[in-house]
Amino acid sequence: MEIQKKIQDIKKLIPDNVSLVAVSKTKPIEDLQEAYDAGQRIFGENKIQEMVEKYDALPKDIKWHMIGHLQSNKVKYMAHFVDLIHGIDRFKTLKEINKQAKKNNRIINCLLQAKIAKEETKFGLSFEEISSILESEEFAELQNINIVGFMGMATFTDDKNQLTEEFTALKNFFDALKSKHSNLEILSMGMSGDYELAIENGSTMIRVGSAIFGNRNYKP
Ligand SMILES: *Cc1c(COP(=O)(O)O)cnc(C)c1O
């Protein structure tokens, strides 16, 4: 019941054009089933093996999003079903996804992860790196992936000015590239602590875990 209420509360706060990814990493199948019964259909996981186990156990109309940092050698385990891959920050990973998508006769939708946080530890590509990937001939040859947008993780801080600055920078970059690359339509920004601010600053997809499922016992 708790999970259902939290999903309903969040849905009331977000506009129709923003999708909610329920981040269910580390949580048991029963919790995901409860969210599913409340109408939730998009789930985000950060470990491929865990996502595969949950995919096998749960209804097949769920859209599975991989939001974690990817190990290329594991892409093959999810290539037949993954709906969207958020955290791509190397060209090499795109090549591997393309190869596995081709084997499965699919086109896999992907988001490039932009580095927007000032913290040193966060993964992600610079805006220049993203532009050069999208312009490159090597990229044009990858027929089985579709880059549909960008993903960003802001600094872990309560400083609203800093968060706004980071979200806005990615939104402006996204808008600038959208005019040249018509496939770009998704801007994945915002988590439990900052999704309202992310939406105010242009997010079209939020990734919310603890605000739905409660705190996780171990670190993501
Ligand atoms: C865990 C995780 C989230 C969700 O975090 P919460 O703060 O629990 O909402 C969102 N995005 C990514 C990439 C994550 O790894």
Side-chain angles (χ1 to χ4, degrees):
M1 282 318 274
E2 185 83 337
I3 290 172
Q4 178 179 359
K5 177 152 190 338
K6 292 196 167 141
I7 289 176
Q8 285 164 352
D9 289 348
I10 293 169
K11 289 234 163 113
K12 268 182 230 150
L13 284 174
I14 67 178
D16 288 344
N17 67 316
V18 174
S19 352
L20 170 63
V21 179
V23 176
S24 48
K25 61 191 183 195
T26 79
K27 297 295 175 181
I29 298 284
E30 302 82 76
D31 287 8
L32 282 76
Q33 183 68 51
E34 192 176 336
Y36 180 89
D37 293 340
Q40 182 62 29
R41 290 295 180 273
I42 309 177
F43 291 87
E45 291 284 334
N46 71 339
K47 296 213 166 59
I48 293 177
Q49 185 152 344
E50 185 177 340
M51 187 171 80
V52 171
E53 284 164 17
K54 289 172 172 173
Y55 165 78
D56 287 339
L58 284 158
K60 292 297 170 281
D61 61 340
I62 290 176
K63 293 187 157 119
W64 292 97
H65 288 198
M66 176 43 59
I67 62 169
H69 194 250
L70 281 187
Q71 285 172 276
S72 291
N73 62 342
K74 293 195 178 153
V75 170
K76 57 178 177 283
Y77 300 118
M78 65 172 177
H80 59 294
F81 71 90
V82 68
D83 182 70
L84 181 64
I85 302 177
H86 288 235
I88 297 160
D89 66 357
R90 282 190 305 175
F91 185 74
K92 185 171 164 258
T93 313
L94 280 179
K95 268 171 65 172
E96 177 62 17
I97 297 168
N98 185 71
K99 182 173 141 194
Q100 299 301 335
K102 196 169 183 174
K103 278 192 191 161
N104 286 277
N105 205 10
R106 297 184 67 204
I107 292 175
I108 296 182
N109 290 332
C110 300
L111 305 178
L112 295 177
Q113 181 168 357
K115 182 173 165 62
I116 57 173
K118 302 217 167 61
E119 297 160 336
E120 268 311 308
T121 53
K122 295 275 159 89
F123 296 109
L125 296 155
S126 68
F127 293 165
E128 292 74 24
E129 288 169 323
I130 290 180
S131 299
S132 64
I133 286 177
L134 292 176
E135 306 288 327
S136 71
E137 278 175 33
E138 267 183 305
F139 169 66
E141 284 167 11
L142 305 181
Q143 298 288 319
N144 291 75
I145 51 163
N146 190 12
I147 305 274
V148 292
F150 306 141
M151 183 266 226
M153 274 173 102
T155 302
F156 190 71
T157 174
D158 289 332
D159 181 344
K160 289 200 167 181
N161 289 330
Q162 186 177 346
L163 290 170
T164 300
E165 213 176 282
E166 294 177 4
F167 290 140
T168 309
L170 186 52
K171 164 71 171 159
N172 290 342
F173 177 68
F174 176 68
D175 285 344
L177 268 79
K178 233 162 60 164
S179 56
K180 279 191 276 180
H181 303 277
S182 59
N183 291 347
L184 299 176
E185 54 184 347
I186 296 175
L187 191 52
S188 166
M189 313 191 288
M191 315 183 5
S192 292
D194 58 16
Y195 68 85
E196 288 180 81
L197 202 60
I199 292 169
E200 276 171 42
N201 290 290
S203 171
T204 70
M205 183 173 275
I206 58 175
R207 309 177 308 270
V208 181
S210 46
I212 294 174
F213 297 107
N215 288 332
R216 290 174 294 273
N217 294 330
Y218 47 101
K219 278 192 74 116

